Amino acid sequence: LLNLKPPQDTPWLCIGDFNLIHSAADKNNLSLNRRLMGRFRSTLDTCELLELTLHNRKFTWSNGQLRPTLVRLDRFFYNGDWDELFPNHCLQALSSSMSDHCPLFLCSQERPPREGHFKFEHFWTKIPGFYQVVEEAWNKPVGGQNAMMILHNKLLNTTSALRAWSRKVFGEARMQLHMVQKIIFRLDQAQEERDLSEEEVCLLKDLKVRVLGLAAVERARRRQCSRLSWLKSRDACTKFFHLKMTAKKHRNFIPALKKRDGSVIWNHAEKELELLDHYKNLLGTKVGRTRTINWNLLNLPIVDDANLDAPFMEQEIKLAISELPSEKAPGPDGFTGAFYKILLVDHQVDGTRCFQLFLLV
């Protein structure tokens, strides 16, 4: 494997009966050669290889005895460049009808398109015009029977305004980045054959400046999707964030579900129905209690609850907002803590009016 490792940025898929294991969980008994396991793990780390998850089997080989030895010997390994090309892969084991090994089947699993929902992007705050858009949207008159409905409607107005502003200012930033790079490449080629005109030289300089901006936007978006809050967007390349984002998608995806009767379903629509049915039965079942708790015997201290329904104080709300994590969304509306902190302290966005909204009762 060390001799076969390809150059950097080369997709690599390594397949075979390796006749080795790198984890004790790959065998059903404790007859292990830990020295070889350690060497195998070290080699995989050096080659920067990850293992494709096998979804429907734990082991791929059996010695066929009455009390069989089961081992996972057949494996698929890949590097990050291959994962970028084929993000929707799925590895399954087939029946071992012709051998003591079960064949493995690698395919592309169709994944349903995710509905687009609003996400506040942190780099927006550094773009001219952002504060004006938020201020105009926030100050629009809205209806509502209580403070929470007023807040909800104001957030909806802000969401629509920011979406429209982002489409107008950035559009397809990734596509623009590829187009700009292509034009720069063509101008570089032309420069080898002839002298560029004054307009072409100015265009080349402008495009190189634009590439820096578009690359910064793309990197900031990838970093936010990867949820690497401990790493600044300027400290790593886009590829690293993209790999982390892809790995997160793999972890969150449910390739198959096992029903109560033991059958396995792979179709997404069937998985949705099964999950809905499961939680309907789980949450809709009321079981009578046969025992209860005698609170008087616990001798718990009595809590003064007179202030539990008192209105929130201004200082309490300020403290709660200031302690929100800046890069995490406290609710499903897509706005992160950074947005609420901007509304609270930034005078350009009329923070006083916004803050008073939280105090309405």
Side-chain angles (χ1 to χ4, degrees):
L1 282 176
L2 291 173
N3 293 332
L4 290 172
K5 183 181 178 182
Q8 198 71 20
D9 299 327
T10 303
W12 188 19
L13 182 65
C14 193
I15 308 168
D17 171 13
F18 289 85
N19 209 27
L20 285 170
I21 62 173
H22 59 74
S23 171
D26 295 333
K27 197 172 184 179
N28 72 334
N29 59 45
L30 296 178
S31 178
L32 306 171
N33 188 328
R34 298 190 180 274
R35 182 183 63 84
L36 283 178
M37 289 167 57
R39 287 182 60 188
F40 195 16
R41 284 197 301 269
S42 176
T43 302
L44 294 174
D45 291 340
T46 305
C47 293
E48 300 176 354
L49 287 172
L50 301 171
E51 184 172 4
L52 283 176
T53 302
L54 183 60
H55 291 295
N56 58 343
R57 286 287 300 273
K58 291 175 61 179
F59 310 108
T60 63
W61 176 85
S62 169
N63 63 358
Q65 302 299 316
L66 184 61
R67 293 183 178 179
T69 297
L70 303 175
V71 195
R72 183 171 179 183
L73 301 177
D74 308 276
R75 300 177 180 276
F76 279 57
F77 294 106
Y78 66 99
N79 64 359
D81 298 285
W82 184 89
D83 195 28
E84 284 190 76
L85 288 177
F86 306 99
N88 297 333
H89 54 257
C90 179
L91 184 64
Q92 302 178 48
L94 306 179
S95 65
S96 57
S97 53
M98 299 295 181
S99 170
D100 50 359
H101 293 261
C102 64
L104 303 182
F105 178 56
L106 177 63
C107 61
S108 176
Q109 188 171 45
E110 182 181 353
R111 303 191 181 190
R114 298 181 63 181
E115 294 183 7
H117 58 278
F118 176 78
K119 287 184 179 179
F120 180 77
E121 303 199 50
H122 298 145
F123 72 89
W124 284 345
T125 60
K126 302 176 183 178
I127 306 300
F130 166 78
Y131 293 103
Q132 182 181 357
V133 171
V134 173
E135 183 178 4
E136 292 176 356
W138 194 268
N139 290 333
K140 284 183 179 178
V142 295
Q145 298 179 352
N146 53 55
M148 292 307 299
M149 279 303 302
I150 294 174
L151 174 62
H152 174 71
N153 291 333
K154 281 186 173 289
L155 289 175
L156 286 180
N157 284 346
T158 308
T159 296
S160 301
L162 285 176
R163 270 181 167 166
W165 172 76
S166 178
R167 283 195 299 266
K168 181 180 178 181
V169 174
F170 302 105
E172 295 289 340
R174 191 185 310 176
M175 183 182 295
Q176 289 184 41
L177 179 60
H178 291 311
M179 291 171 63
V180 170
Q181 289 175 331
K182 185 68 174 177
I183 296 172
I184 292 175
F185 179 72
R186 292 292 180 88
L187 290 173
D188 289 339
Q189 285 182 318
Q191 198 170 26
E192 296 177 357
E193 305 294 334
R194 60 177 175 83
D195 292 335
L196 298 180
S197 65
E198 185 177 346
E199 292 80 6
E200 289 174 329
V201 172
C202 292
L203 176 61
L204 185 60
K205 291 180 180 179
D206 291 342
L207 290 178
K208 288 188 175 182
V209 173
R210 187 166 182 80
V211 161
L212 294 177
L214 291 171
V217 168
E218 185 66 14
R219 184 168 61 247
R221 283 177 167 170
R222 293 286 179 88
R223 176 189 171 276
Q224 188 169 345
C225 289
S226 67
R227 298 187 182 178
L228 293 175
S229 56
W230 53 270
L231 194 62
K232 300 299 182 184
S233 59
R234 61 181 177 271
D235 291 339
C237 65
T238 308
K239 182 178 179 180
F240 175 74
F241 295 134
H242 182 77
L243 292 175
K244 296 297 292 186
M245 181 179 64
T246 305
K248 182 169 66 71
K249 286 182 179 179
H250 291 330
R251 290 195 303 269
N252 293 339
F253 181 66
I254 302 174
L257 283 177
K258 182 179 287 187
K259 300 174 68 174
R260 297 183 184 88
D261 58 5
S263 60
V264 178
I265 52 177
W266 297 85
N267 181 270
H268 182 72
E270 293 180 3
K271 286 187 286 186
E272 282 186 340
L273 293 175
E274 182 64 22
L275 287 171
L276 179 63
D277 181 62
H278 172 78
Y279 283 104
K280 267 188 175 180
N281 295 331
L282 183 66
L283 300 176
T285 303
K286 185 177 180 180
V287 180
R289 294 184 179 180
T290 57
R291 298 172 182 270
T292 187
I293 298 175
N294 191 336
W295 296 102
N296 296 326
L297 295 179
L298 296 179
N299 297 321
L300 296 175
I302 298 176
V303 179
D304 182 15
D305 59 353
N307 295 325
L308 287 180
D309 58 352
F312 294 115
M313 303 300 294
E314 181 174 323
Q315 195 60 34
E316 291 177 319
I317 300 176
K318 283 185 176 180
L319 180 62
I321 294 177
S322 64
E323 291 181 349
L324 282 175
S326 296
E327 300 189 358
K328 296 184 182 296
D333 53 29
F335 288 101
T336 61
F339 173 77
Y340 295 106
K341 291 178 183 179
I342 289 171
L343 291 178
L344 182 62
V345 301
D346 202 307
H347 300 294
Q348 298 184 62
V349 194
D350 196 2
T352 304
R353 289 171 61 97
C354 166
F355 186 67
Q356 289 176 348
L357 179 63
F358 287 91
L359 301 178
L360 292 176
V361 293

